Amino acid sequence: MIKKLLDSSWFYYAAAALLVIGYAATQIKIELPARDHGELADIRKIAEIEDLNVVFILIDTLRADHLGSYGYERETSPIMDRLAETGIRFHNHVAQSTWTKTSMASLWTGTYPVTNEILRFGHVLPEEATLPAELFRKAGYRTAGLYRNGWVGHEFGFQQGFEQYVRPSTATSAAAVERAKNTPHQLLGSDWDLTTSAVEFVTRYREDKFFLYVHYMDIHQFAFEEDSAIFGSGYEDAYDNSIHWTDRNVGTLVAQLEKLELMDNTLLVIAADHGEAFMEHGNEGHAKDVHAENVETPAIFVLPWFLEEPRVIEELTENVDLWPTILDIVGIEPVDETDGRSLVPLILGEADPHPGPAYAHLDRNWANTRPDNPTIGVRTEDAKLVWWPQQPRHQSRYYYDINEDPGEQIDLHQDEPEATAALVELASEYLERGPASWGASPDSVEVDSMKLSILRALGYVIGGE
Ligand SMILES: [Zn+2]
């Protein structure tokens, strides 16, 4: 891995350019210029663009309802809202788990956690799994992944197909030093390191076809630069400040793509791995249950042209659908064994190829070595079940009327026993599904003590019986 890093010359240019660009971007207001308009139906022609690029921005820990375009009252995300207004936005979108590794394994492979079996802290995506970056590389794209969250690191198999898969080095700015304090193994740096490296990458390789994955992480840490501290200093305010800061990072990358005139041949997708709870169901954070605040995430597609009217999809969609959809749009043959489906027919208003239900799956023992203890979320157009089969019966099922109660506050399982039983049936059928051919008995790695303490610095309690 170190060798790989040393081979990666653009990485050094990125580090060198960091302070200069960083200074400039904090001084300017990011505005996205107007672009050519196009038709939704032209989505079928994207595959014909010769020098097509794909940029996939994953924003860790971003719940949909804290974005303006999803109805939030605060202006946390002006850039992403503007992108959504001129592109495609999936309004009722569900992530497959509530911690990064399980959720990202599902997202990349288009399979549910029960299919890919990446459920525990030591599990590794096997070589046999085919990841989108491998398909891009075969199709002649330059591939690069930039991340800061250790759960998607090399040791867990997420590097497959990336020519460069790196965690950019941290800036030695006064702010970075201040933030680092005196804590060992703290997550160093900031998402600005990713933005700077991404800007350098697209600049350097603007003549090539590329697939770039940028996995932002500052929202997970509630981290932001001072001039994004515009919503106050409370706990939830800090979360919103970090969304605003991340939005500026996205804007900086998009502004550079604009400047290089790359947006006309780039498909840009923004998604998230899970949300964040603020005591809606007695918990803070994530990786503890599968309620709405943790599984309802944004999904935004920005086409190589602006749409006159935004396309807002109200139908239920899932993260497992994203890669089958993207590969369909760019004309790369997807893998067969997916639970998700291409949403292109839905985008075009022709048909809904994957009408639901949507599933979320968290093993409550993901961070230790005790036996399986699944919690399953089943979401339909009208209802949501949270099922925890190992609990005593009266605490094992929660049923919500999503239209009346989108925040899942009023449990109706006693008033709606039949509807509840029908969804419990779906949840138990889900749990009995067999794994994918490549998913059987996923490899595990011994997570060494240093790695564990870095992951613990993210706020998780990991390890133990
Ligand atoms: Zn995450």
Side-chain angles (χ1 to χ4, degrees), residues 127-148:
E127 279 297 328
E128 291 74 21
T130 303
L131 301 189
E134 298 178 86
L135 300 174
F136 278 113
R137 202 162 169 186
K138 246 185 235 158
Y141 288 70
R142 195 173 275 282
T143 58
L146 302 166
Y147 70 97
R148 294 174 63 238

Side-chain angles (χ1 to χ4, degrees), residues 60-61 99-101 149 151 215 217 220 273-274 286 460:
D60 212 291
T61 321
W99 70 293
T100 308
K101 187 167 48 169
N149 187 327
W151 291 124
H215 187 135
M217 180 68 178
H220 187 289
D273 56 346
H274 53 78
H286 53 271
Y460 301 112

Side-chain angles (χ1 to χ4, degrees), residues 338-354:
T338 57
D339 295 308
R341 298 282 178 275
S342 167
L343 301 172
V344 171
L346 179 64
I347 291 168
L348 294 174
E350 296 165 356
D352 186 351
H354 194 197

